[in-house]
Amino acid sequence: MGIIVALDIGVASVGWAVLDMDKEEILEAGSNIFPEANAANNQKRRSMRQARRIKRRERIRISDFNKLWEKCIFRVPNKWNNNLVELRVHALYEEVSISELYMILQNALKHRGISYLDDALSDDANQGSGYEAMIRMNQKAMETKFPCEIQMERLNKYGQYRGDWKIIDSETGEEIDFGNVFTTSAYKKELEKIFETQKKYHPELTDEFIDKYLKIFERKRKYYEGPGNEKSRTDYGKYTTRKNENGEYITEDNIFEKLIGKCSVYPEELRAAGASYTSQEFNVLNDLNNLTINGRKLECEEKHKIVETIKTSKTVTMRKIIENVMGEKIEQLSGARIDKSDKEIFHKFETYNKMRKTLNEIGVDITTWSREQLDEIGYILTINTEKESIIEAFKNSELLNSLSEEVKECLITFRKKNGSLFSKWQSFSLKIMKQLIPEMYEQPKEQMTLLHEMKLVKNHKELFKDCKYIPVDILTEELYNPVVAKSVRISLKIINALLKKYENMEKIIIEMPRERNSDEEKKAIT
């Protein structure tokens, strides 16, 4: 029988053994133990790195402010007033010394508030209704007061204003959430009022100084640009170290394109957003082509009618739609995808239909929009997560920059309320799906069968026929789960090492992990 290699692949170890089945003995065995590639560890590193960057940029802002102060006014003061809230309130309407003004301005560069309130509400929705109520309460208070006045009022009444805290209303017994969360624009208005008042007493506060200070105060790196700049390039940001064919440095529009991955058929093409119209049509057709109903496959005309019906129905019940189109009752149906409860699941143009209904409320009919426009909207709303970046993307899109501001705002609000619809990427690009869709209507075949028939993919034997050993990097480049990728990579390296030692290997037997990470393993043991 020859040599058999056995592998036991886990989330933090790979056990292996080599058996000579003719002699019925174990030739060698071992275990490669390694730290689990837990995504939570990546999050911790990202948080630490983000904290360092925030602190570094704060130091740079203060350094730039000090240079501006020394150039336009005079030297930086040494004394410091600890009660800055009271000082800021005083500076709104009455004179403060130039040293006290410096303290106010320097402190403002450390505590600038949040940039985009809509995004904060969206991102922190999981904190519960208390967080959102606190934001709304702060917004209401800012209609008549500046942040420092609200903070001073809370300090006098409750003895604190920083951080998040709760009180019980003595009259209603209701729990009220407080938080020191204000917008950058609110703090800017406060500063503008302070400047307006203090200019009366300090002629050195010129318009030029104020303008330059406010530019430092509002300076913010866009999250989709990443780290680095023209002079200090890094492949982690938009200013990459890579060069084009003309020898010029490549500057990207959005760093998140690096994370999308490339098409499994056309490696030069980006994967398509799951929310794009083409992706939704492709997925529906793939589901329909997998079905065998009453002993037969759906015909081309029937598939066209089913797709159009799904796109125009108020509610989508797939069995009912199929029966109406076929003109017969479903007696037997096989090939449908099944969920954990053994219920049939189908793709139903969910994103398209929800978007269609939402825009219809403001009198916009997206059935008149082109496939290309709908694909572009799906891409923009998937790759961008903040309002600012979505607006910028619409502005730079030749297909979408002509949309009215009302439509753009409606799409941004729709994305905010339906974030889960814009979180997935296809394994294919728009290019290959557009090639496959006509064939999927004409033929009752699913995607992989058509790809092989169209000779657009090679089978594994053709792909690796010239390889003496397993190409580890090629096989693991599409594994995005860090736990899986690390375990598989180490397993393949073990196999390659054994292939060099035992040429007459007969079989490789693998026991797969029962859990996806150590937390699941702990639960299973418990």
Side-chain angles (χ1 to χ4, degrees), residues 321-332:
I321 290 173
I322 293 170
E323 285 180 339
N324 290 340
V325 169
M326 291 179 67
E328 58 185 274
K329 187 172 179 61
I330 296 176
E331 302 291 344
Q332 292 180 322

Side-chain angles (χ1 to χ4, degrees), residues 151-177:
Q151 291 164 343
M152 189 68 192
E153 187 178 277
R154 291 175 181 176
L155 183 62
N156 291 335
K157 188 173 182 179
Y158 303 111
Q160 69 177 101
Y161 69 89
R162 290 191 178 97
D164 299 331
W165 41 287
K166 301 175 187 288
I167 65 159
I168 304 296
D169 190 290
S170 57
E171 295 180 3
T172 64
E174 181 185 358
E175 191 176 72
I176 301 174
D177 290 87

Side-chain angles (χ1 to χ4, degrees), residues 67-294:
K67 291 173 186 175
L68 176 65
W69 181 270
E70 289 173 341
K71 179 182 177 182
C72 297
I73 302 179
F74 44 77
R75 65 185 180 82
V76 174
N78 295 322
K79 294 182 180 180
W80 195 260
N81 187 331
N82 289 324
N83 196 348
L84 279 167
V85 178
E86 185 178 354
L87 188 60
R88 283 158 55 203
V89 173
H90 186 76
L92 287 171
Y93 309 106
E94 300 177 38
E95 180 184 6
V96 296
S97 70
I98 201 72
S99 296
E100 289 173 325
L101 180 62
Y102 171 86
M103 297 172 198
I104 292 170
L105 299 182
Q106 198 230 58
N107 183 69
L109 296 176
K110 295 180 180 179
H111 308 285
R112 301 187 298 166
I114 58 175
S115 300
Y116 304 103
L117 192 57
D118 287 342
D119 292 318
L121 287 171
S122 175
D123 293 342
D124 291 293
N126 59 355
Q127 294 191 27
S129 59
Y131 180 85
E132 188 159 339
M134 176 267 290
I135 292 285
R136 302 292 180 202
M137 182 171 63
N138 286 354
Q139 281 182 294
K140 184 70 177 173
M142 283 189 289
E143 291 176 5
T144 56
K145 298 174 184 174
F146 294 105
C148 62
E149 293 176 305
I150 300 168
Q151 291 164 343
M152 189 68 192
E153 187 178 277
R154 291 175 181 176
L155 183 62
N156 291 335
K157 188 173 182 179
Y158 303 111
Q160 69 177 101
Y161 69 89
R162 290 191 178 97
D164 299 331
W165 41 287
K166 301 175 187 288
I167 65 159
I168 304 296
D169 190 290
S170 57
E171 295 180 3
T172 64
E174 181 185 358
E175 191 176 72
I176 301 174
D177 290 87
F178 284 92
N180 194 37
V181 180
F182 299 95
T183 61
T184 304
S185 59
Y187 281 118
K188 183 185 176 184
K189 286 180 182 177
E190 180 184 303
L191 287 166
E192 288 172 338
K193 177 62 179 174
I194 289 172
F195 279 130
E196 180 189 328
T197 300
Q198 299 309 312
K199 278 176 70 175
K200 300 173 186 176
Y201 308 104
H202 303 290
E204 57 266 53
L205 290 176
T206 62
D207 291 339
E208 181 188 7
F209 170 83
I210 293 170
D211 183 58
K212 287 182 177 179
Y213 172 82
L214 290 176
K215 283 182 179 176
I216 295 172
F217 173 79
E218 291 185 289
R219 191 166 67 197
K220 180 177 181 289
R221 182 183 291 270
K222 295 171 182 174
Y223 78 95
Y224 52 86
E225 290 183 354
N229 54 47
E230 288 275 9
K231 295 180 181 178
S232 178
R233 288 181 167 268
T234 167
D235 287 333
Y236 293 102
K238 65 177 286 186
Y239 301 99
T240 71
T241 59
R242 294 178 286 110
K243 295 182 178 181
N244 59 23
E245 52 192 21
N246 298 323
E248 300 167 330
Y249 282 114
I250 296 172
T251 300
E252 299 169 334
D253 293 327
N254 193 315
I255 60 171
F256 290 96
E257 285 189 351
K258 299 175 184 178
L259 306 178
I260 295 171
K262 296 301 179 77
C263 174
S264 55
V265 178
Y266 294 120
E268 72 282 0
E269 297 283 330
L270 287 173
R271 291 177 167 187
S276 65
Y277 177 88
T278 297
S279 295
Q280 294 176 79
E281 185 178 19
F282 177 84
N283 289 333
V284 170
L285 286 172
N286 204 51
D287 279 351
L288 294 178
N289 281 351
N290 281 328
L291 299 178
T292 300
I293 304 167
N294 297 344

Side-chain angles (χ1 to χ4, degrees), residues 476-492:
T476 56
E477 66 182 357
E478 296 297 320
L479 297 177
Y480 293 107
N481 182 311
V483 178
V484 174
K486 189 166 189 177
S487 295
V488 171
R489 190 176 293 113
I490 290 172
S491 300
L492 295 177

Side-chain angles (χ1 to χ4, degrees), residues 273-323:
S276 65
Y277 177 88
T278 297
S279 295
Q280 294 176 79
E281 185 178 19
F282 177 84
N283 289 333
V284 170
L285 286 172
N286 204 51
D287 279 351
L288 294 178
N289 281 351
N290 281 328
L291 299 178
T292 300
I293 304 167
N294 297 344
R296 72 174 180 89
K297 293 287 189 176
L298 290 166
E299 296 176 0
C300 176
E301 187 179 348
E302 290 173 328
K303 284 182 273 189
H304 276 290
K305 286 181 179 179
I306 290 170
V307 167
E308 290 306 312
T309 305
I310 294 172
K311 287 165 51 182
T312 55
S313 297
K314 289 185 179 180
T315 56
V316 178
T317 307
M318 285 300 290
R319 276 185 171 252
K320 186 176 180 181
I321 290 173
I322 293 170
E323 285 180 339

Side-chain angles (χ1 to χ4, degrees), residues 261-475:
K262 296 301 179 77
C263 174
S264 55
V265 178
Y266 294 120
E268 72 282 0
E269 297 283 330
L270 287 173
R271 291 177 167 187
S276 65
Y277 177 88
T278 297
S279 295
Q280 294 176 79
E281 185 178 19
F282 177 84
N283 289 333
V284 170
L285 286 172
N286 204 51
D287 279 351
L288 294 178
N289 281 351
N290 281 328
L291 299 178
T292 300
I293 304 167
N294 297 344
R296 72 174 180 89
K297 293 287 189 176
L298 290 166
E299 296 176 0
C300 176
E301 187 179 348
E302 290 173 328
K303 284 182 273 189
H304 276 290
K305 286 181 179 179
I306 290 170
V307 167
E308 290 306 312
T309 305
I310 294 172
K311 287 165 51 182
T312 55
S313 297
K314 289 185 179 180
T315 56
V316 178
T317 307
M318 285 300 290
R319 276 185 171 252
K320 186 176 180 181
I321 290 173
I322 293 170
E323 285 180 339
N324 290 340
V325 169
M326 291 179 67
E328 58 185 274
K329 187 172 179 61
I330 296 176
E331 302 291 344
Q332 292 180 322
L333 186 148
S334 62
R337 292 180 297 122
I338 303 295
D339 66 12
K340 293 179 180 179
S341 304
D342 289 331
K343 292 182 179 179
E344 296 167 353
I345 49 174
F346 298 93
H347 289 283
K348 301 176 181 179
F349 276 98
E350 183 183 7
T351 306
Y352 173 88
N353 279 326
K354 285 188 176 181
M355 190 186 298
R356 173 175 60 83
K357 293 171 185 175
T358 300
L359 286 166
N360 193 49
E361 292 174 3
I362 61 169
V364 176
D365 181 11
I366 68 169
T367 62
T368 62
W369 291 0
S370 68
R371 175 189 295 271
E372 287 70 28
Q373 284 178 304
L374 293 169
D375 285 345
E376 183 86 345
I377 289 170
Y379 173 80
I380 287 173
L381 297 184
T382 303
I383 197 169
N384 298 288
T385 58
E386 289 187 358
K387 183 176 181 178
E388 176 204 21
S389 57
I390 295 173
I391 291 172
E392 186 77 13
F394 279 145
K395 180 182 175 182
N396 295 332
S397 170
E398 293 181 8
L399 290 169
L400 304 174
N401 59 16
S402 61
L403 294 177
S404 70
E405 292 304 313
E406 184 185 21
V407 171
K408 290 176 184 176
E409 282 294 330
C410 185
L411 288 170
I412 290 168
T413 303
F414 175 74
R415 193 243 181 267
K416 176 183 171 183
K417 293 179 178 178
N418 299 275
S420 61
L421 297 178
F422 301 95
S423 60
K424 297 181 178 66
W425 297 92
Q426 297 283 112
S427 60
F428 291 152
S429 62
L430 292 174
K431 180 178 178 179
I432 185 57
M433 285 192 288
K434 287 177 181 178
Q435 280 182 255
L436 288 170
I437 284 172
E439 294 296 324
M440 294 172 83
Y441 275 114
E442 291 293 333
Q443 303 185 57
K445 298 174 182 176
E446 48 79 43
Q447 51 180 307
M448 290 311 298
T449 303
L450 288 171
L451 286 171
H452 283 292
E453 289 181 357
M454 296 164 73
K455 301 191 185 310
L456 289 170
V457 294
K458 294 180 177 179
N459 62 38
H460 289 160
K461 286 186 178 180
E462 288 181 71
L463 195 61
F464 304 126
K465 65 181 180 182
D466 296 323
C467 296
K468 187 175 181 182
Y469 301 105
I470 299 171
V472 177
D473 292 336
I474 293 174
L475 289 179

